[in-house]
């Protein structure tokens, strides 16, 4: 893998730090008029998700990380792994629990997700921004209540729980924003 | 699309503000009988300072048998000191200077330094004059003064003169600042602490002079006769920006040569090219530099303050990446 000097640092660059692939969020050079120059870098560790601030001496080099993002369709879960497929090459890849994480609740078969691969292995799975899921459980609300105040919890077919307006009923399909986990609308079937 | 970006970054208002600032600087010095001078941007000697990088170019012409390396000056200091040794007296310059490898929100490869020298001034006298300039040109409130040592004691609870690298690194780490890459290098730790802890702790609403820098950072300043651990070097901070660096000037040629040689030894140890020493400057110092104090002020940063600019680019018609 190539190495990068601090002069090449910019948002989105993937580097190795303490054996962990990281993504650079922000980079700023600080330098007194007569003094050593440093780069102050905000970094997201891609395995733990932690954001840290690191100091580099300007001009130093670090090893790049072989991290790529690919768009793959979700197929199924075999109890241990979640399987995805490239819709063009039909090549399949399996992601483990650590890579899928909390996003398991937004995985819908055939949906195209973004997988981050490090040295070819999935380290994160990002679902589409919006998914459509059926409500499997919620309290029956009062008919005619359309004010949308308050709302109630509803369990979806994947196990996700979101707050929905009172008028939404079991068996209906709703659209959810996976980034915020919030209800967007009912979906007319 | 990048190549089509031909328009200036600075607004009409910013360009007018620069013209007005230049005029008020000239009026300030004319009123004090300080002579405006011009010295070369290109010179045959550079600066051996470990933390400055000269840009260079090869020039050829009648009288030069082979192409000669010329150094784009990082400050007009050496040339102005030659003028002082030749008897020019009090003088100032609005100089365009170039520093390689310096590009950030606060740095542009080329920028404008206001540099001036006053005979028989101490660093303290010169700070008073810079304070007056700040009030005259920027309508700044009167300046405050704090020693480098006190500033560190207040912001980082450590003594920059007597504490070990280990203790300074520990204090920085306690402040959440990663300093692993320089944890055994005291001077580098002090630079890092200055930029990230001490400087941000100063009151941004009042110009603040930090005085008596450690002797390791003396550069071209004379050492304090009462406390040789510190030098007669100061910096000025205001609105979160480092604005100026000044010295009660070292006038001893042999001491200056020793510091240049030490700089080059430090460069060699870090695998950096050695820079030929400016023998013309040393010859001038041997002839005799009159006792004086000198200071360099970043004019673009003064403009950043006037314009409330977040980036130096807003003060420049064509910043380096668009030049």
């Amino acid at each position: 893998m190539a190495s990068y000097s601090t002069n090449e640092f910019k948002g989105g660059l993937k580097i190795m730090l303490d054996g962990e692939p990281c993504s650079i969020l922000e980079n700023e050079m600080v330098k007194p008029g007569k003094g050593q120059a440093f780069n102050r870098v905000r970094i997201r560790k891609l395995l733990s998700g932690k954001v840290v601030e690191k100091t580099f001496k300007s001009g130093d080099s670090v090893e790049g990380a072989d991290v790529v993002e690919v768009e793959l369709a979700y197929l199924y879960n075999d109890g241990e792994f979640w399987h995805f497929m490239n819709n063009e090459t039909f090549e399949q890849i399996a992601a483990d629990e650590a890579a899928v994480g909390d996003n398991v609740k937004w995985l819908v078969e055939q949906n195209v997700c973004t997988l981050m691969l490090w040295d070819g292995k999935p380290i994160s799975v990002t679902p589409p921004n919006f998914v459509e899921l059926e409500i499997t459980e919620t309290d029956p609300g009062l008919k005619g209540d359309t004010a949308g105040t308050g709302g109630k919890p509803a369990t979806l077919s994947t196990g996700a729980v979101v707050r929905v307006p009172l008028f939404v009923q079991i068996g209906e399909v709703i659209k959810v924003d996976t980034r915020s986990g919030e209800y967007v609308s009912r979906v007319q079937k | 699309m990048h190549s089509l970006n031909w328009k200036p970054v600075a607004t009409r208002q910013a360009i007018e503000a620069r013209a007005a600032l230049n005029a008020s600087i000239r009026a300030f010095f004319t009123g004090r009988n300080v002579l405006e001078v011009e010295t070369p941007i290109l010179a045959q000697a550079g600066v051996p300072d470990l933390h400055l990088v000269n840009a260079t170019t090869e020039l050829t012409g009648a009288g030069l048998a082979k192409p000669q390396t010329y150094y784009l000056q990082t400050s007009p200091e050496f040339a102005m000191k030659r003028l002082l040794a030749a008897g020019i007296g009090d003088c100032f310059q609005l100089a365009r200077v170039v520093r390689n490898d310096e590009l950030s929100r606060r740095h542009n490869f080329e920028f404008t330094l206001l540099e001036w020298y006053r005979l028989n001034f101490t660093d303290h006298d010169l700070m008073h004059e810079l304070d007056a300039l700040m009030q005259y040109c920027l309508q700044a409130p009167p300046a405050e003064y704090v020693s480098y040592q006190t500033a560190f004691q207040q912001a980082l609870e450590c003594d920059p003169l007597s504490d070990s690298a280990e203790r300074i690194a520990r204090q920085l780490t306690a402040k959440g600042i990663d300093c692993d890459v320089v944890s055994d290098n005291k001077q580098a730790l002090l630079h890092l602490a200055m930029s990230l802890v001490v400087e941000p702790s100063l009151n941004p609403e009042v110009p603040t002079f930090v005085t008596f820098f450690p002797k390791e950072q003396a550069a071209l300043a004379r050492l304090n006769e009462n406390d040789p651990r510190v030098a007669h070097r100061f910096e000025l901070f205001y609105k979160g920006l480092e604005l100026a660096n000044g010295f009660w000037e070292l006038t001893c040629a042999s001491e200056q040569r020793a510091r240049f040689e030490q700089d080059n030894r430090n460069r060699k140890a870090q695998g950096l090219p050695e820079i030929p020493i400016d023998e013309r400057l040393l010859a001038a110092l041997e002839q005799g530099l009159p006792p004086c104090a000198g200071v360099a002020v970043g004019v673009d940063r003064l403009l950043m303050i006037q314009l409330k600019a977040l980036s130096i680019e807003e003060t420049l018609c064509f910043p380096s990446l668009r030049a």
Side-chain angles (χ1 to χ4, degrees):
Chain A
M1 199 64 204
S3 68
Y4 297 98
S5 103
T6 54
N7 281 340
E8 296 171 273
F9 282 11
K10 60 178 183 192
L13 184 74
K14 309 292 192 297
I15 58 168
M16 292 299 296
L17 199 68
D18 308 326
E20 185 171 344
C22 298
S23 178
I24 289 178
L25 301 174
E26 276 174 62
N27 168 43
E28 186 172 32
M29 184 189 86
V30 290
K31 183 187 188 307
K34 294 192 181 288
Q36 166 98 43
F38 295 97
N39 285 64
R40 291 282 294 160
V41 188
R42 267 186 9 113
I43 289 172
R44 170 170 287 121
K45 297 192 158 190
L46 294 174
L47 298 184
S48 63
K50 274 189 194 141
V51 173
V52 295
E53 286 211 66
K54 289 290 285 183
T55 306
F56 295 86
K57 283 192 278 185
S58 295
D60 277 1
S61 290
V62 291
E63 193 194 342
D66 178 11
V67 171
V68 291
E69 289 187 329
V70 290
E71 308 272 296
L72 301 173
Y74 172 57
L75 296 179
Y76 65 96
N77 165 240
D78 65 9
E80 189 180 359
F81 292 100
W82 287 258
H83 295 264
F84 295 81
M85 183 175 72
N86 183 320
N87 276 337
E88 278 153 30
T89 64
F90 307 113
E91 200 179 320
Q92 291 191 21
I93 197 163
D96 63 11
E97 194 175 354
V100 176
D102 285 346
N103 283 328
V104 63
K105 62 177 182 275
W106 305 125
L107 292 184
V108 178
E109 286 171 21
Q110 303 310 326
N111 271 1
V112 174
C113 302
T114 305
L115 274 73
M116 194 179 280
L117 309 180
W118 172 39
D119 291 340
K121 287 196 293 287
I123 54 172
S124 77
V125 175
T126 308
N129 291 344
F130 299 100
V131 295
E132 293 176 1
L133 289 166
E134 186 184 332
I135 295 180
T136 56
E137 206 185 313
T138 190
D139 284 339
L142 292 169
K143 275 245 184 285
D145 175 72
T146 54
T149 51
K152 59 183 179 178
T155 306
L156 309 181
S157 54
T158 54
V161 177
V162 296
R163 284 200 81 77
V164 299
L166 296 177
F167 58 79
V168 179
Q169 303 300 328
I170 293 175
E172 286 191 282
V173 175
I174 62 167
K175 184 174 171 182
V176 182
D177 187 327
T178 60
R179 295 160 295 184
S180 61
E182 282 171 7
Y183 165 90
V184 177
S185 64
R186 281 196 288 190
V187 178
Q188 302 298 328
K189 282 285 168 183
Chain B
M1 284 305 284
H2 193 76
S3 60
L4 297 179
N5 215 343
W6 59 271
K7 289 183 179 169
V9 174
T11 60
R12 170 96 201 174
Q13 181 214 355
I15 294 168
E16 286 176 357
R18 181 181 287 274
L21 178 60
N22 285 346
S24 77
I25 289 169
R26 290 194 163 99
F28 179 86
F29 287 109
T30 305
R32 290 168 181 247
N33 284 319
V34 181
L35 179 66
E36 179 164 8
V37 298
E38 287 188 15
T39 58
I41 292 175
L42 291 164
Q44 294 175 74
V47 57
D49 188 305
L50 187 58
H51 302 301
L52 291 172
V53 186
N54 280 115
T56 60
T57 188
E58 302 276 315
L59 298 182
T60 184
L64 292 175
K66 53 179 184 175
Q68 166 76 40
T69 298
Y70 273 78
Y71 296 82
L72 281 76
Q73 298 296 284
T74 58
S75 120
E77 178 162 13
F78 295 176
M80 288 179 82
K81 284 183 174 166
R82 284 164 60 189
L83 283 177
L84 290 163
I88 195 82
D90 296 330
C91 57
F92 82 98
Q93 175 163 207
L94 281 164
R96 191 61 72 86
V97 298
V98 177
R99 294 185 182 181
N100 198 352
D101 218 13
E102 296 191 13
L103 208 53
S104 84
R105 196 168 68 71
R106 305 183 195 85
H107 299 83
N108 195 61
F109 288 147
E110 59 176 291
F111 60 101
T112 303
L113 270 186
L114 162 63
E115 179 134 343
W116 80 93
Y117 291 86
R118 295 289 247 148
L119 301 193
N120 300 314
F121 270 37
T122 64
D123 48 338
H124 206 75
D125 300 330
L126 195 61
M127 283 189 270
H128 276 299
E129 186 159 66
L130 175 50
D131 182 10
L133 177 91
M134 292 293 291
Q135 296 184 41
Y136 181 82
C137 293
L138 284 193
Q139 291 75 51
E144 288 177 359
Y145 298 78
V146 61
S147 76
Y148 187 97
Q149 184 183 34
T150 305
F152 269 72
Q153 284 165 338
Q154 286 171 352
L156 200 63
E157 289 121 47
C158 70
D159 184 338
L161 304 181
S162 59
D163 280 346
S164 64
E166 191 193 356
R167 163 140 178 100
I168 294 159
R170 206 163 53 230
Q171 293 301 97
L172 275 172
T173 306
K175 294 264 180 198
I177 292 177
D178 162 45
C179 53
D180 293 350
V181 284
V182 287
S183 61
D184 55 354
N185 180 339
K186 181 170 167 182
Q187 292 311 311
L189 285 167
L190 292 180
H191 291 312
L192 186 65
M194 188 71 196
S195 297
L196 298 178
V197 181
V198 179
E199 189 182 322
S201 78
L202 303 173
N203 181 355
E205 299 310 318
V206 179
T208 306
F209 286 101
V210 175
T211 63
F212 292 119
F213 273 60
K215 71 170 193 304
E216 293 81 2
Q217 299 178 35
L220 287 81
R222 63 171 76 188
L223 298 185
N224 185 332
E225 40 308 313
N226 300 321
D227 181 356
R229 296 177 304 166
V230 298
H232 286 282
R233 173 183 163 202
F234 64 86
E235 290 204 343
L236 175 64
F237 298 90
Y238 184 38
K239 304 272 187 189
L241 289 171
E242 178 195 331
L243 292 178
N245 178 68
F247 307 131
W248 188 5
E249 300 290 348
L250 181 68
T251 54
C252 171
S254 60
E255 168 71 14
Q256 186 62 68
R257 181 182 293 278
R259 289 193 198 176
F260 282 158
E261 285 170 352
Q262 182 60 48
D263 281 339
N264 266 331
R265 277 195 294 277
N266 291 342
R267 295 181 76 88
K268 202 171 174 185
Q270 297 209 1
L272 298 169
E274 293 176 59
I275 302 291
I277 286 174
D278 190 340
E279 292 296 344
R280 288 189 175 89
L281 170 67
L282 290 176
L285 294 185
E286 268 157 34
Q287 162 76 36
L289 183 68
C292 63
V295 63
V297 182
V299 174
D300 314 88
R301 290 186 181 173
L302 294 182
L303 266 175
M304 283 177 73
I305 290 172
Q306 262 194 345
L307 299 168
K308 298 186 169 57
L310 292 176
S311 163
I312 195 169
E313 295 203 342
E314 295 171 50
T315 73
L316 299 162
C317 289
F318 303 110
S320 292
L321 291 182
R322 224 190 256 199

